[in-house]
Amino acid sequence: MQWTILGAGAVGSLFATHLQRSGQKVNLLDTRQPHRQQAKPMLLEQLDGSICMCELDCIGYQDLAQIGCLLVTTKVWQVTHALQPLVGLLPESCPIVLLHNGMGTAEWLTEHFPHNPLLAGVTSCGALKTDASHIKHTGFGETWLGALNAAGEQWQTLVSPLADALGHAAWSEHIQERQWQKLVVNAVINPLTAVYNQQSGILLQHQDEIAALCLELRPLLLQQGLTNTANEWQELVLQVVDRTAKNYSSMQQDIANRRRTEIDYITGYLLQQAEQNGLELPQHRALYLKIKALESQFVTA
Ligand SMILES: NC(=O)c1ccc[n+]([C@@H]2O[C@H](COP(=O)([O-])OP(=O)(O)OC[C@H]3O[C@@H](n4cnc5c(N)ncnc54)[C@H](OP(=O)(O)O)[C@@H]3O)[C@@H](O)[C@H]2O)c1
């Protein structure tokens, strides 16, 4: 199996280095480049603090023969732009796995790659790219894969090499439910921590806000077939807050570092779904507007 990583940032580099170290063939694809670039040395700092060196081949969007299972690990707002150069070129047998937070890219993918096996992944692995060639594994996590179309169902075989590489990976028959669960957790923790500009643990002091945001989402979640009570959603969010209390969320970091956030595909996606279903989410909308106002200081529309 040839694995091709599109988006060698924190998560992409973590997956690439772990897959290579477990004996898989891995290369990095940059669709901003037509052809192969110099191989990239990468220094992986593991959970136990040990450090190892990897070297990864780098290919461009015209090196089609070298693209294997395509693991897309860009930020969610980069996905369509990053995949666009491959539309009409990528062999139809090549599976595409989306591994990002937020939702709203699967529709575009299905439209533009209708014959490819399409899959989605949800991971709680933690990774930090401290510089261009230094990747730090910051937290052990679970990785779940599932099919987005019928052809994707044939690719459960991807799970075993990922599990060997990462320590955990499993197949989910309900991947969209897992994506929604992560979406809810992210929609509460990410914007609140970005607005407070604090580590996630600060939210233990704002449990009333968490409760209100969960309660407001309940009708929409019920319509999606997610039957948890508002209290159960709140519990789920609090468990993650507790587990990640000392971490800075990705949205807090994006705002602090003046980078575009994933808000349009997290809260923005929820607002869009609510509107389509005749529902209003005023508290989520207010948070969305606060993040967009912060973002507008450095991101032009
Ligand atoms: N980091 C974590 O611990 C973690 C955990 C779970 C889930 N996630 C999710 O995983 C996704 C990726 O997060 P991340 O932290 O890894 O982000 P990241 O470090 O910003 O990585 C994204 C990478 O994609 C690259 N990229 C963008 N367009 C590209 C293209 N056309 N061709 C090749 N590469 C391209 C970016 O390059 P440039 O920088 O040059 O644009 C960047 O290196 C996000 O949805 C995030 O929410 C992250």
Side-chain angles (χ1 to χ4, degrees), residues 6-12 29-32 73-76 78 82 99-101 123 125-127 182 262:
L6 173 54
V11 168
L29 168 64
D30 191 330
T31 55
R32 297 164 292 199
T73 52
T74 63
K75 292 278 197 181
V76 60
Q78 296 170 320
L99 193 78
H100 56 66
N101 283 334
T123 186
C125 290
K182 190 144 194 219
E262 298 185 299

Side-chain angles (χ1 to χ4, degrees), residues 28-183:
L28 308 179
L29 168 64
D30 191 330
T31 55
R32 297 164 292 199
Q33 303 289 343
H35 291 301
R36 173 181 288 279
Q37 307 286 298
Q38 227 177 4
K40 216 176 190 173
M42 240 176 230
L43 200 141
L44 168 68
E45 191 176 333
Q46 307 200 81
L47 282 174
D48 63 6
S50 63
I51 290 189
C52 52
M53 285 294 297
C54 299
E55 191 167 87
L56 290 144
D57 277 342
C58 297
I59 59 167
Y61 64 86
Q62 288 185 14
D63 301 322
L64 293 171
Q66 293 157 65
I67 300 180
C69 170
L70 190 60
L71 202 52
V72 184
T73 52
T74 63
K75 292 278 197 181
V76 60
W77 53 268
Q78 296 170 320
V79 167
T80 56
H81 199 249
L83 282 169
Q84 185 67 52
L86 299 175
V87 173
L89 295 178
L90 192 70
E92 289 178 357
S93 56
C94 178
I96 307 175
V97 185
L98 295 180
L99 193 78
H100 56 66
N101 283 334
M103 287 177 79
T105 55
E107 296 79 355
W108 183 92
L109 190 71
T110 309
E111 191 184 324
H112 290 82
F113 297 89
H115 304 297
N116 291 77
L118 304 179
L119 300 98
V122 174
T123 186
S124 56
C125 290
L128 191 67
K129 199 164 178 182
T130 52
D131 65 42
S133 60
H134 187 161
I135 167 78
K136 188 170 177 182
H137 191 182
T138 53
F140 179 82
E142 294 186 354
T143 299
W144 293 86
L145 290 194
L148 291 175
N149 64 3
E153 297 282 357
Q154 309 307 313
W155 285 87
Q156 300 193 19
T157 45
L158 296 177
V159 159
S160 162
L162 278 177
D164 285 347
L166 299 166
H168 175 277
W171 185 256
S172 172
E173 292 295 342
H174 307 283
I175 196 67
Q176 276 162 339
E177 199 173 310
R178 288 188 179 274
Q179 287 181 296
W180 268 90
Q181 279 175 0
K182 190 144 194 219
L183 187 72

Side-chain angles (χ1 to χ4, degrees), residues 256-276:
N257 290 296
R258 302 174 70 77
R259 294 188 301 242
R260 181 170 171 184
T261 72
E262 298 185 299
I263 192 77
D264 285 322
Y265 295 81
I266 298 177
T267 309
Y269 183 80
L270 288 171
L271 293 173
Q272 196 186 45
Q273 293 297 309
E275 197 175 318
Q276 282 170 14

Side-chain angles (χ1 to χ4, degrees), residues 75 101 186 189-190 193-194 200 247-257 259-262 266:
K75 292 278 197 181
N101 283 334
N186 284 334
I189 297 178
N190 270 303
T193 48
S200 298
N247 298 358
Y248 289 97
S249 76
S250 57
M251 199 170 286
Q252 185 282 335
Q253 290 179 53
D254 285 339
I255 293 288
N257 290 296
R259 294 188 301 242
R260 181 170 171 184
T261 72
E262 298 185 299
I266 298 177

